[in-house]
Each structure stands twice: as C-alpha cells, then as structure tokens.
C-alpha cells in the first residue's frame, strides 16, 4: 500500500497482533493505538462479538451473490440510525460514494458533482479536484485522471455559502457530496447555520445532498446526521461498520429510491457501473450485524466521547502551559491538534496552516513513546476499550514531546 511511505520514520511499524485499543509490533513493543486503522478499527481491534460472528459465518459460507437474513436486520437498523429507508451494499466507502454519484447523475440528468475544497471521500475520480484562484484544477498528486476534473466537478470552500449558492443556482449540479464536518484535512466544523443553508439550497435547486458519514460516525451511533437532524437524500458510510471487515453501505430516501427505480433498466443491471461481485457477501453482512448490534452501541459512545474530551483537555492544558500558538478541536470520539492559533474554517485555511516537519516530529516522537496517531495530521480516535490512563499517558507524552521541541 503506497501510502505507507508517508508514515513518520524510515519504515512503517509491522504489527504482530492487536486487541482493543492496543497493538504489539513484531519486535514486541506495545502501543496505544489512537489511529485505529484511520477509523476502520474504531470498534477497537478484534471486537469479540464481531470476531465470533465472523467465525460462525465463515464456517457457513462466505459469499453467495444471494442475500442472507442478516441483511434484513441491517436494513432496519440503518433506517433506525440514519432515518433513510432503502440501503445498498458495497465493499468500501470509496465504492459507496462512487455508486451514489452515478445514481445522482442518472436520476437528475445533471453533469456535475459539487465537493468542498480539500475534501476526501476515498479514491473517487470526481473528488480529486482543488480550487485555485477560483478555478477547478486536478488536485496535487492526482494519478492518471481520465479527464480533467473541471469537466465533472465544481469545488467551493467549506462554509462559503455565497459560493455554494452561486454554483448550485446554475442548475447544473447533480449532487453535493459532503462530510458533515470535514475530517480529512483536520477537523473543520460547519459554522452556525451552514447545514440548514446547505439543505435549503440543495432542495431549492433540485440538487441531491449526499452525506458521507464514514468518519463522522465518531459523533454518535447515527453519525452527525442523527445528532444534528440532517436530512440527506443519500448517505454513505464504510470503514468501521463491519468491525474492520471490508463493507460499506449507501442509503436513500423513499423519493430517491423511486426515482432510481424509474431510471434503472433491470435487463442491464449487471453492467450499470454499480455494485461488485463480493458486495453484500455473507461474511461482511454478518460482521456488520454483530458490530452494529453489539459494538458501536450507545454505551460505547457514552464511554468514548468523554475520553475524547479528556484528551482534548489534556492537550489544551499543555498548549496553555507553554503558551503555544496551537489549537485543539473535538468531534465526538475524535480529536485533533493544529499548529495554528485559530481553528481553520475551510480546507484552504487548513492546508495553509500545515507544517509537515512539525507533524512528522510529533508523530515520530509519540510513536517512539508508544503512541500511534493518525497519519497525515494530528488526529486521535478513541476506542471502546481505551481507558482514562491511556488518555493521561498521551497527555504526558504530548507534554514531553513539546518540552523536547522547545528545548531545541
Ligand atoms: C469521509 C471518507 N469517505 C470515504 C473514504 C474512503 O474509505 P475507503 O478508503 O475505505 O474506501 C474515506 C477514507 O479515508 C473517508 O475519510
């Protein structure tokens, strides 16, 4: 996996085994894991209920291209959590987003997708676009793009309602694909009224709203959507919902489901650019049922969110103690510090405040002291098995890393 070259240090740590909030490397070093597979293991590693369900299902067959009854339970549970009645399965959040975009273009008959500058929604062609001096250009590092994303995509800064209105009012945009809080360029919160305005504008202009909850499921068992009463037309989510077994879902409102039905030809359903042979396989579905039923529960969040608060308070206390021009912010059981005084309000501001050297120093210094942070920025995610002692250990390590930095 080529991203592994971006971990701090000359080589990635090789894992021997993991359980709960900790893992051990092949040299026998034990780490507190605050990366948790960049949310894929937000359940903690090897959660017991999921492991048992996987073992049972593996012995009964892994994939059939036919449903198992677990799918019925999952559909009802996803509706209870996110408020949308119809669900489809994919293997990754990337795929869920790709399929949602295709469906949105198909049923609206419109060409463009709108995303926020410096978003990340997986390896989805349409989303690798940046805003430079008002123009949509390929995002840096975009490998082998089939077309210039200016042909497929409109980009505005997060929290810029005037720009959003200007683009949506053209009537050319099929859908907005958004994380409800940006999490992949650091955590960028929506300003007051942003979501209400986004929903009003998308409805008024006939634009579908796709909310990607893959990371923001850290907010509550129903993600940011349930916690803040969002009303997306389509919702996508992957990563932790199968406890780490590849699986993802995308759900729609009844109205969207009906429009899809009108526009789909069943005769050609197998070549429509949506789906995958292993999507909805029995193993993924069993893992998802066990994870939703027993692991990503209300009780888990009642434990992890206060711990993320404790982590945030600990980091803030060190920032205050050393009067650092840094900032710390939290979203549910996720938190992050920034090397700038005020919280960035959009992706462009976030990128401008990045400091790669400082970032790598903090990551490597923490790793050498037994703590793994999420790579590419300074994010911590709390697992149901993380303890207060783990959090206080992070605060102590953070203080030590800062002291060493200031001593140079
Ligand atoms: C918000 C969001 N959506 C989608 C994805 C894609 O997930 P995957 O790489 O598992 O397909 C990511 C990955 O980081 C993400 O952060």
């Amino acid at each position: 996996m080529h991203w592994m070259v971006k971990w701090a240090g000359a080589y990635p740590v090789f894992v021997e085994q993991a359980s709960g909030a900790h893992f051990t490397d092949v040299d026998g070093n034990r780490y507190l894991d605050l990366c948790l597979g960049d949310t894929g293991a937000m359940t903690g590693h090897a959660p017991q209920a999921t492991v048992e369900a996987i073992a049972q299902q593996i012995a009964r067959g892994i994939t059939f291209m036919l449903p198992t009854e677990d799918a019925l339970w999952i559909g009802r549970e996803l509706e209870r959590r996110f408020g949308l009645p119809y669900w489809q399965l994919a293997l990754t959040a990337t795929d869920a987003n790709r399929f949602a975009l295709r469906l949105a273009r198909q049923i609206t008959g419109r060409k463009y997708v709108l995303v926020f500058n410096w978003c990340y929604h997986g390896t989805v062609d349409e989303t690798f676009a940046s805003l430079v001096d008002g123009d949509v250009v390929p995002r840096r590092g975009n490998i082998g793009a089939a077309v210039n994303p200016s042909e497929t995509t409109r980009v505005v800064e997060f929290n810029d309602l005037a720009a959003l209105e200007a683009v949506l009012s053209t009537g050319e945009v099929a859908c907005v694909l958004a994380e409800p809080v940006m999490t992949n360029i650091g955590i960028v919160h929506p300003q007051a009224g942003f979501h209400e305005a986004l929903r009003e504008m998308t409805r008024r202009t006939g634009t579908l709203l796709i909310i990607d909850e893959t990371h923001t499921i850290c907010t509550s068992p129903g993600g940011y959507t349930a916690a803040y009463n969002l009303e997306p037309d389509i919702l996508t989510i992957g990563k932790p919902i199968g406890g780490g077994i590849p699986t993802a879902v995308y759900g729609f409102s009844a109205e969207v489901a009906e429009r899809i039905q009108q526009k789909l030809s069943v005769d050609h359903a197998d070549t429509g650019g949506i789906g995958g042979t292993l999507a909805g396989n029995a193993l993924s579905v069993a893992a998802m049922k066990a994870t939703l039923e027993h692991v990503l529960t209300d009780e888990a969040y009642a434990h992890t969110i206060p711990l993320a608060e404790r982590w945030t308070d600990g980091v803030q206390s060190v920032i205050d103690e050393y009067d650092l021009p840094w900032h710390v912010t939290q979203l549910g059981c996720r938190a992050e510090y920034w090397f700038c005084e005020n919280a960035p309000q959009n992706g462009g501001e976030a990128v401008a405040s990045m400091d790669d050297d400082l970032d790598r120093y903090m990551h490597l210094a923490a790793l050498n002291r037994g703590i793994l942070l999420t790579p590419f920025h300074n994010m911590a995610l709390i697992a149901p098995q993380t303890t207060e002692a783990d959090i206080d250990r992070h605060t102590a390590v953070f203080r030590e890393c800062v002291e060493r930095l200031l001593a140079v």
Side-chain angles (χ1 to χ4, degrees):
M1 171 62 185
H2 69 296
W3 294 345
M4 287 186 191
V5 299
K6 286 201 74 181
W7 280 103
Y11 51 86
V13 170
F14 280 66
V15 177
E16 178 67 28
Q17 71 93 32
S19 170
H22 293 84
F23 72 92
T24 307
D25 72 14
V26 288
D27 298 316
N29 302 305
R30 189 164 185 266
Y31 299 86
L32 167 64
D33 191 354
L34 296 175
C35 167
L36 296 170
D38 194 11
T39 313
M42 194 183 116
T43 51
H45 296 290
Q48 195 186 343
T50 310
V51 169
E52 282 169 9
I54 290 167
Q56 276 176 19
Q57 187 59 51
I58 251 178
R60 298 165 63 207
I62 297 169
T63 193
F64 312 116
M65 226 165 90
L66 289 170
T68 51
E69 284 193 334
D70 287 347
L72 305 178
W73 185 92
I74 285 169
R76 283 191 291 270
E77 175 62 9
L78 292 170
E79 179 174 15
R80 186 186 72 78
R81 289 188 183 227
F82 299 110
L84 293 171
Y86 293 94
W87 294 87
Q88 286 277 302
L89 289 119
L91 279 179
T92 64
T94 295
D95 270 354
N97 283 326
R98 290 179 46 234
F99 304 154
L101 296 187
R102 276 182 171 261
L103 288 170
R105 280 191 298 254
Q106 177 78 3
I107 66 176
T108 59
R110 295 179 181 182
K111 176 176 171 185
Y112 293 108
V113 166
L114 185 145
V115 294
F116 293 106
N117 203 19
W118 297 101
C119 67
Y120 187 75
H121 296 281
T123 50
V124 179
D125 283 334
E126 293 90 332
T127 62
F128 285 121
S130 295
L131 197 58
V132 174
D133 300 329
D135 292 329
V136 174
V137 298
R139 184 163 165 165
R140 67 187 184 201
N142 189 342
I143 297 169
V147 295
N148 188 310
S150 62
E151 290 182 32
T152 58
T153 308
R154 294 289 180 248
V155 184
V156 301
E157 288 287 7
F158 199 62
N159 282 321
D160 186 346
L161 291 175
L164 190 62
E165 171 80 48
V167 177
L168 294 188
S169 62
T170 61
E172 293 177 333
V173 177
C175 61
V176 173
L177 172 61
E179 281 193 280
V181 178
M182 295 184 88
T183 67
N184 282 297
I185 196 73
I187 299 171
V188 180
H189 288 277
Q191 290 168 351
F194 174 78
H195 275 293
E196 291 79 355
L198 172 62
R199 188 61 279 202
E200 185 280 320
M201 281 180 203
T202 44
R203 281 212 173 103
R204 172 161 45 81
T205 58
T207 311
L208 295 171
L209 177 60
I210 307 175
I211 292 288
D212 179 348
E213 289 276 10
T214 301
H215 277 186
T216 47
I217 188 67
C218 63
T219 316
S220 85
Y224 198 89
T225 292
Y228 291 86
N229 301 316
L230 305 188
E231 293 175 356
D233 300 298
I234 303 178
L235 186 145
T236 59
I237 180 168
K239 292 204 190 182
I241 57 169
I245 291 286
T247 192
V249 291
Y250 50 115
F252 350 98
S253 66
E255 189 203 323
V256 168
E258 193 174 324
R259 289 171 72 185
I260 292 171
Q261 220 157 21
Q262 284 166 10
K263 289 273 183 169
L264 284 197
S265 149
V266 174
D267 291 345
H268 306 294
D270 53 341
T271 51
I274 283 174
T277 313
L278 300 181
N281 72 77
L283 182 66
S284 295
V285 173
M288 206 187 322
K289 177 170 185 284
T291 304
L292 293 176
E293 192 170 7
H294 301 294
V295 188
L296 291 177
T297 57
D298 290 356
E299 297 73 41
Y301 285 83
H303 175 76
T304 56
I305 293 176
L307 286 184
E309 266 160 39
R310 190 179 181 96
W311 190 94
T312 306
D313 291 347
V315 169
Q316 185 66 55
S317 70
V318 177
I319 291 176
D320 293 344
E321 188 180 331
Y322 292 94
D323 202 18
L324 298 170
W326 295 3
H327 180 86
V328 59
T329 190
Q330 186 199 344
L331 176 69
C333 63
R334 183 187 299 278
E336 163 146 61
Y337 56 85
W338 293 87
F339 306 125
C340 60
E341 215 145 2
N342 299 312
Q345 298 300 304
N346 59 48
E349 287 180 23
V351 166
S353 77
M354 281 185 164
D355 182 327
D356 288 344
D357 289 341
L358 199 46
D359 206 74
R360 285 174 92 79
Y361 163 72
M362 292 302 284
H363 278 255
L364 193 56
L367 191 64
N368 283 334
R369 290 160 179 79
I371 296 181
L372 186 76
L373 290 164
T374 307
F376 322 144
H377 39 119
N378 308 299
M379 190 132 74
L381 190 63
I382 311 300
Q385 305 82 357
T386 310
T387 64
E388 287 189 352
D390 291 331
I391 301 296
D392 296 346
R393 167 106 188 95
H394 173 266
T395 304
V397 163
F398 181 68
R399 176 178 288 105
E400 198 187 322
C401 298
V402 166
E403 269 169 9
R404 294 288 288 266
L405 183 68
L406 295 177
V408 174

